Amino acid sequence: MGILSAHEIDPAEIERSYGPILIEGERVLAAFKAVRDTAFLTDLRFVLVDVQGLTGSKTSVQSIPYRSITRFSVESAGTLDLDSDLNIWVSSLATPISVKVSRNADPQAILRLLAQQVLAKR
């Protein structure tokens, strides 16, 4: 999700912006936004929104059900590495989907949320 890190945003903002792609009763649990791109976790899936082109009029939305996630990791920020890295391996992909997350995000909370959702869907 780009080279710039994503900062945590209020899930209500996602529900307002992306409400039309959420199904009835689906809840946004956590959300991260970079300059143009967004990643969020709901109670049903992991979603990546990639805004493309100069004008941003083209948008790609990837929806990954938790049952398709085979592995995940969160690497906390270090002294020289200013961002945390969220990596999610999907059963149909050889390389992980990576999201750089601001160092202000709580890596343990992200791991706990992913574990609750991925393991509950097995």
Side-chain angles (χ1 to χ4, degrees), residues 15-34:
E15 290 173 357
R16 283 191 301 275
S17 300
Y18 298 103
I21 68 168
L22 300 174
I23 64 171
E24 187 175 333
E26 186 174 11
R27 295 179 302 118
V28 178
L29 305 174
F32 305 92
K33 182 167 180 57

Side-chain angles (χ1 to χ4, degrees), residues 5-121:
S5 68
H7 60 279
E8 200 160 2
I9 61 173
D10 185 1
E13 185 177 328
I14 294 298
E15 290 173 357
R16 283 191 301 275
S17 300
Y18 298 103
I21 68 168
L22 300 174
I23 64 171
E24 187 175 333
E26 186 174 11
R27 295 179 302 118
V28 178
L29 305 174
F32 305 92
K33 182 167 180 57
V35 175
R36 293 169 48 150
D37 299 336
T38 305
F40 58 94
L41 296 95
T42 75
D43 55 338
L44 302 173
R45 58 190 163 153
F46 175 67
V47 179
L48 284 170
V49 180
D50 179 16
V51 178
Q52 303 170 357
L54 292 175
T55 62
S57 59
K58 184 176 180 180
T59 304
S60 167
V61 178
Q62 286 187 64
S63 178
I64 302 160
Y66 290 119
R67 69 178 177 276
S68 297
I69 296 174
T70 58
R71 221 168 90 195
F72 53 90
S73 69
V74 177
E75 182 180 309
S76 62
T79 304
L80 298 176
D81 184 9
L82 301 177
D83 306 314
S84 296
D85 296 312
L86 168 61
N87 294 299
I88 296 178
W89 284 263
V90 179
S91 58
S92 61
L93 300 176
T95 58
I97 295 169
S98 295
V99 178
K100 288 212 167 285
V101 179
S102 166
R103 73 179 309 127
N104 297 330
D106 181 358
Q108 283 120 3
I110 297 168
L111 272 175
R112 187 172 45 255
L113 178 59
L114 276 168
Q116 289 168 342
Q117 298 306 313
V118 172
L119 299 175
K121 306 304 186 233

